[in-house]
Amino acid sequence: MKKIIETKKLSKHYGNVVAINNINLDVSFGELFGLLGPNGSGKTTIIKILTGQVKPTTGTGKILGMNILENPIEIRKNVGIIPEQETPPSFLTAEEYLYFVAKIRKIDNVDKKIDFWFDFLNFKDRKKFLCKDLSRGTRQKLMVAQAFLHEPKLAFIDEPLINLDPIIQRKVKDYFIKYVKEGNTIFFSSHVLEIAQEICTRVSIIEKGNLIYDGKINDMKKNKINLEKLFLKRVQQ
Amino acid sequence: MMHLLKAMMKEEWRMHSTMFGNLMFSLFPLLIFIFTFLGNFLYHLLSNIISFKNSLLTVLLFFFFFGLSVGSFGLLGREVMNRRFGQASLVAYSSRALPISEKKIFTVFFIKDVIYYFLFWILPFSLGISLYSFVNSIHLFLLFKIITSVSISFLLGLTLSFLLSTIYVHHEKLAMYSFFFLVITIIFLNNFFNIDLLIYFLPFTIFNNFNFLNITTMIIFIIISTIISISFLKVDYHQDIKIQNKNYFKEKNIIDNVIKNIFVKKDFIDMKRSRVSYGKLIFAFIFPLIFIWIILKIFITFFPFLNFIFLFSIFFGMMSSTIYNFLTEFELFSNYSFLPIKVSTIILSKIKSYFIINLISPLILLLIIIKLEQISSFIISLLLLISFSIYGLTTTIFLTGLHPNILLYNTKVFLLYIIYNLPVMLLFLFISAFFPNYLCLCILMIPFSIIFIRISLKKWDNKQEIGF
Ligand SMILES: Nc1ncnc2c1ncn2[C@@H]1O[C@H](COP(=O)(O)OP(=O)(O)O)[C@@H](O)[C@H]1O
Ligand SMILES: [Mg+2]
């Protein structure tokens, strides 16, 4: 199958800390790929490197055929990213923020798309609030909307469901599944195993910067492998 | 109470020592001590040109403004912290989580500031003078007078800024108006009645009329105004959530005709909506301007061959370049890093906002020049102002990118900043004194700056953004 993400021996060191170590990772078109690992295992670092926000210490990679070292801006134009920590700017309203992102991404006729997201994630009543006055969950909704506004072929999603209530979680998960069915690709990071088991088509487990497992969810089901058990066993070694 | 005080002292130490580096920070009092000690020799050497009155005034004013700035950081600084770190995490602001009243915490906070800055500034200063008095005997009573009035000057600045910030938090407009009223009265009295108000600068008066009654009155005044500040204190002033009906990025509005760049537009929206920052901008501009004015006025009496208006333009230009620091306070690049935007795009937009805000500087300069009746110097002064403003901006961008407020606290960066700027300033001071016809050469700094900004943009695009 054709690869949408390819990496070769990616490593990242912060001083003496090895954040990720020799990562070779491929994702094909149409996968809903889950990168699983405990806190501090290097998930965010990988996403930041793949989207050109952080430079790897060694190694290289390609996203949509573009080199992550040479074309970071082109890559970010073509993918959507839901970051783990970053929040929308304090003094824009929720609505303004989406229009602002639309201007940055040069998308025209966004009115309908923006309305869709306010409806879909059920936060129309917060449209005119300044982002600094929004709750964490609402900011998270805004970040979800922001990432899909330009309908990218590939989305990177760093632990997106943590602050959302169960109803919205359901909606977002269904959206991801549908989105991938339509032929797009999602790279998803999480330490919540149930969600991964439920929506991903393939998962990798990372521990202390090393990839220690890679498998298709379907194969795991066939072989009666329980993700949680596997995770606990491998990671605790 | 003692416990809290200790915790706050520790916190203050850590905060500063992480900003400056531990060693550098510990050396600081020593530096003041040495400076004061050597300063006395310098004064002694120059005592024919420099009057005692002026030197003392400079020192007193210095400690007064120092107190002012320390105090305003205490309260307004929290706004900055909030923007930068989401939530300020100082002990003083965690009052809701602690079983102690806010007033008590802030009383301790104030006491901490007093002790802290006494230990770090006033004590070494006093020791410096005292040591010198062994070399060149200063009368013990004079020594006592100097140290007392310096301490009072610092305390006065500190309490006034606490008072002003308290009023500001309660009633922003009132604080603004009273501040402007004060400034205008001072200018008015100074100009139209030719009263040298500096003589009435209280700590100076105290020095000249040094008696028990005056000192006690002053101390009581300081204590009362502190008590007023603390009793009207509002730590977590409740802000109503305001619905903003305007959508500046959807509907076409007037601004669109003037400002096309969405990031510049955002800067102005930020300023409009975070009203505290508007006030801060004005404070950040007017205060230093007055300070520079006073200091240069005194300075020029030492070096009468310098031209005041040129001198002022150079310093004004350098000062106005700090507007850039103010503009970058609003955001972290990491808020954009997941979008297809380069660091240089944001820096460039900050430069544009910078120029728009800075349009006010030539106007201020013009007013001053009209007042001084030196219209003939306007063109050259304007050139100096613009050139130094741009040059200061350039060196700031080259050294600190989007993070001047953090990186300038780094000792090495700060020293480089001085090294890039000071010699150029001195060069032009020299030219203004001896070859005033060549002053217009300062415009050469502009093309130089443009090239340098280009280099800086490349540098910061290539540099991996450090997450702050
Ligand atoms: N900017 C940074 N500076 C220093 N160390 C970092 C930085 N970012 C991440 N790390 C370290 O790299 C490791 C991996 O972090 P991260 O990728 O955030 O993990 P995860 O997202 O899986 O929780 C951690 O040990 C973390 O402390
Ligand atoms: Mg993470």
Side-chain angles (χ1 to χ4, degrees):
Chain A
M1 249 197 290
K2 232 183 125 198
K3 302 280 181 258
I4 192 164
I5 301 174
E6 298 167 76
T7 76
K8 271 201 205 91
K9 296 190 176 172
L10 278 186
S11 294
K12 177 72 189 175
H13 301 218
Y14 289 107
N16 290 328
V17 178
V18 179
I20 60 167
N21 185 28
N22 250 330
I23 301 283
N24 294 306
L25 184 66
D26 291 347
V27 177
S28 308
F29 278 89
E31 281 191 299
L32 208 170
F33 175 81
L35 182 64
L36 309 178
N39 291 323
S41 54
K43 304 182 293 293
T44 301
T45 306
I46 290 189
I47 291 188
K48 289 205 164 162
I49 290 178
L50 292 180
T51 53
Q53 302 181 61
V54 163
K55 284 189 185 129
T57 311
T58 57
T60 179
K62 272 188 181 171
I63 303 289
L64 291 158
M66 290 175 280
N67 188 305
I68 55 170
L69 298 173
E70 288 155 16
N71 294 314
I73 299 289
E74 257 331 282
I75 288 174
R76 291 206 290 278
K77 266 187 199 156
N78 286 288
V79 306
I81 303 167
I82 304 181
E84 180 184 28
Q85 281 191 341
E86 285 75 11
T87 52
S90 307
F91 292 103
L92 296 187
T93 63
E95 191 188 23
E96 276 174 336
Y97 180 56
L98 293 182
Y99 279 92
F100 179 69
V101 172
K103 290 230 152 116
I104 291 175
R105 293 195 174 278
K106 305 196 170 68
I107 322 167
D108 295 326
N109 304 323
V110 280
D111 295 6
K112 272 215 185 96
K113 286 177 196 160
I114 289 176
D115 284 344
F116 164 79
W117 282 103
F118 279 113
D119 277 336
F120 182 63
L121 298 180
N122 204 9
F123 67 126
K124 242 192 290 185
D125 53 334
R126 295 288 184 270
K127 247 185 194 177
K128 301 207 173 288
F129 279 38
L130 293 185
C131 293
K132 75 178 175 65
D133 295 331
L134 298 176
S135 69
R136 268 170 168 258
T138 314
R139 282 184 214 174
Q140 189 82 57
K141 291 179 187 176
L142 208 49
M143 294 317 267
V144 174
Q146 160 278 129
F148 288 98
L149 215 51
H150 56 303
E151 295 164 0
K153 283 253 152 305
L154 170 64
F156 289 88
I157 299 175
D158 201 353
E159 319 217 15
L161 301 171
I162 289 178
N163 296 307
L164 302 176
D165 65 57
I167 300 167
I168 299 296
Q169 278 203 18
R170 185 70 261 158
K171 284 191 162 189
V172 173
K173 282 189 282 191
D174 289 343
Y175 183 83
F176 290 168
I177 294 169
K178 185 176 132 251
Y179 184 76
V180 170
K181 282 220 175 93
E182 285 166 0
N184 302 300
T185 311
I186 287 181
F187 186 108
F188 174 93
S189 102
S190 182
H191 57 243
V192 186
L193 302 176
E194 302 87 62
I195 297 177
Q197 177 118 40
E198 185 190 338
I199 67 173
C200 292
T201 56
R202 190 182 130 214
V203 295
S204 280
I205 298 177
I206 181 170
E207 196 210 4
K208 296 191 183 135
N210 294 296
L211 279 185
I212 55 170
Y213 179 81
D214 184 35
K216 292 221 160 77
I217 290 283
N218 277 342
D219 296 346
M220 291 167 74
K221 274 185 193 149
K222 262 185 234 153
N223 300 329
K224 300 221 161 57
I225 299 173
N226 175 298
L227 185 57
E228 188 182 355
K229 271 188 193 145
L230 177 91
F231 187 89
L232 291 177
K233 204 174 109 206
R234 297 270 176 138
V235 169
Q236 270 169 9
Q237 273 169 0
Chain B
M1 202 83 164
M2 279 316 283
H3 220 69
L4 194 60
L5 186 63
K6 247 191 188 159
M8 281 190 185
M9 296 285 281
K10 255 193 212 149
E11 182 180 68
E12 183 89 18
W13 170 274
R14 290 219 184 98
M15 199 163 83
H16 282 90
S17 62
T18 39
M19 276 178 179
F20 295 95
N22 232 327
L23 179 69
M24 196 56 198
F25 189 53
S26 325
L27 283 179
F28 205 61
L30 189 67
L31 229 65
I32 294 179
F33 170 73
I34 295 171
F35 270 151
T36 318
F37 182 63
L38 296 179
N40 277 300
F41 282 104
L42 189 68
Y43 166 73
H44 194 77
L45 282 178
L46 298 175
S47 58
N48 293 331
I49 339 174
I50 308 173
S51 71
F52 175 73
K53 178 195 142 200
N54 279 341
S55 326
L56 183 70
L57 249 178
T58 315
V59 172
L60 289 180
L61 279 170
F62 175 77
F63 276 96
F64 177 72
F65 276 96
F66 180 61
L68 269 183
S69 60
V70 168
S72 61
F73 180 77
L75 288 178
L76 295 180
R78 156 190 145 81
E79 277 300 314
V80 181
M81 297 293 236
N82 266 328
R83 233 176 285 137
R84 194 168 290 291
F85 302 111
Q87 203 68 67
S89 55
L90 299 181
V91 174
Y93 306 128
S94 58
S95 52
R96 263 174 309 171
L98 294 173
I100 317 170
S101 83
E102 286 171 352
K103 302 219 151 87
K104 211 169 191 174
I105 289 185
F106 264 82
T107 314
V108 179
F109 189 80
F110 183 78
I111 296 173
K112 175 218 71 183
D113 262 7
V114 173
I115 298 179
Y116 202 78
Y117 289 98
F118 253 90
L119 285 180
F120 267 76
W121 287 77
I122 297 184
L123 188 68
F125 171 82
S126 309
L127 289 176
I129 290 201
S130 307
L131 183 67
Y132 178 78
S133 73
F134 284 109
V135 181
N136 223 320
S137 78
I138 303 175
H139 198 285
L140 209 60
F141 184 59
L142 179 62
L143 198 66
F144 178 65
K145 269 168 72 173
I146 294 175
I147 293 174
T148 312
S149 40
V150 161
S151 310
I152 285 179
S153 200
F154 171 73
L155 284 178
L156 191 68
L158 194 64
T159 36
L160 278 186
S161 79
F162 263 104
L163 193 64
L164 213 61
S165 336
T166 308
I167 299 176
Y168 189 79
V169 167
H170 277 269
H171 206 302
E172 192 185 328
K173 286 214 175 93
L174 182 67
M176 283 310 191
Y177 289 145
S178 43
F179 177 69
F180 280 118
F181 178 75
L182 210 70
V183 171
I184 288 168
T185 321
I186 290 174
I187 293 176
F188 187 75
L189 285 177
N190 207 349
N191 289 342
F192 291 90
F193 296 102
N194 250 327
I195 302 173
D196 186 3
L197 282 168
L198 281 177
I199 297 176
Y200 298 99
F201 179 55
L202 279 173
F204 191 58
T205 328
I206 297 241
F207 179 85
N208 288 326
N209 306 292
F210 201 77
N211 58 47
F212 186 71
L213 183 69
N214 278 346
I215 296 175
T216 329
T217 321
M218 200 64 217
I219 289 177
I220 291 177
F221 173 77
I222 288 173
I223 291 177
I224 289 180
S225 83
T226 309
I227 291 176
I228 292 176
S229 307
I230 289 174
S231 39
F232 284 95
L233 183 82
K234 262 207 271 182
V235 179
D236 247 331
Y237 49 104
H238 167 79
Q239 279 174 323
D240 292 325
I241 291 185
K242 257 211 199 139
I243 306 279
Q244 305 281 347
N245 278 314
K246 247 194 154 67
N247 181 338
Y248 282 103
F249 291 100
K250 185 183 179 189
E251 299 115 30
K252 280 259 170 259
N253 40 50
I254 320 170
I255 308 176
D256 285 331
N257 300 326
V258 193
I259 302 172
K260 293 256 166 16
N261 184 313
I262 51 172
F263 300 105
V264 175
K265 202 160 145 186
K266 182 176 163 299
D267 278 341
F268 284 89
I269 295 171
D270 280 343
M271 266 186 274
K272 182 173 176 323
R273 289 187 180 155
S274 65
R275 294 168 316 142
V276 178
S277 304
Y278 251 150
K280 276 193 69 190
L281 180 63
I282 293 170
F283 274 94
F285 216 77
I286 307 273
F287 259 144
L289 211 58
I290 296 172
F291 182 63
I292 290 175
W293 179 277
I294 295 172
I295 294 294
L296 291 183
K297 269 283 181 208
I298 297 173
F299 183 75
I300 202 112
T301 58
F302 306 159
F303 305 99
F305 48 89
L306 289 174
N307 177 320
F308 178 74
I309 194 66
F310 293 154
L311 190 66
F312 182 75
S313 306
I314 290 175
F315 278 87
F316 188 11
M318 283 309 291
M319 192 208 88
S320 72
S321 73
T322 59
I323 288 180
Y324 177 80
N325 308 15
F326 165 84
L327 280 168
T328 54
E329 235 172 46
F330 279 105
E331 56 208 343
L332 310 170
F333 183 74
S334 61
N335 283 340
Y336 295 123
S337 62
F338 54 91
L339 293 168
I341 302 172
K342 289 191 213 161
V343 178
S344 57
T345 311
I346 304 292
I347 296 183
L348 277 171
S349 72
K350 295 286 171 204
I351 295 178
K352 282 183 192 152
S353 304
Y354 168 83
F355 279 115
I356 295 174
I357 294 178
N358 229 337
L359 285 177
I360 192 172
S361 299
L363 283 179
I364 296 178
L365 184 70
L366 184 64
L367 287 179
I368 289 171
I369 281 198
I370 290 174
K371 201 255 120 203
L372 292 178
E373 294 173 1
Q374 297 207 5
I375 306 286
S376 59
S377 313
F378 182 62
I379 300 291
I380 296 291
S381 304
L382 187 65
L383 288 181
L384 282 171
L385 172 70
I386 294 174
S387 309
F388 272 92
S389 180
I390 293 178
Y391 183 72
L393 173 73
T394 306
T395 52
T396 310
I397 291 176
F398 179 74
L399 287 171
T400 68
L402 276 175
H403 305 288
N405 297 303
I406 296 168
L407 287 179
L408 278 181
Y409 282 115
N410 176 313
T411 320
K412 190 183 144 206
V413 173
F414 184 72
L415 282 179
L416 281 174
Y417 180 77
I418 301 280
I419 289 172
Y420 289 161
N421 290 305
L422 196 62
V424 184
M425 290 171 79
L426 289 177
L427 174 69
F428 276 89
L429 286 186
F430 181 78
I431 295 179
S432 80
F434 301 109
F435 311 99
N437 292 334
Y438 290 93
L439 270 179
C440 55
L441 282 180
C442 67
I443 48 169
L444 287 178
M445 292 161 79
I446 297 176
F448 173 77
S449 297
I450 292 174
I451 295 171
F452 222 53
I453 284 186
R454 289 237 173 101
I455 296 173
S456 313
L457 292 179
K458 277 221 184 81
K459 165 180 165 182
W460 290 107
D461 270 341
N462 287 330
K463 210 165 207 125
Q464 192 171 299
E465 248 325 283
I466 331 151
F468 285 108

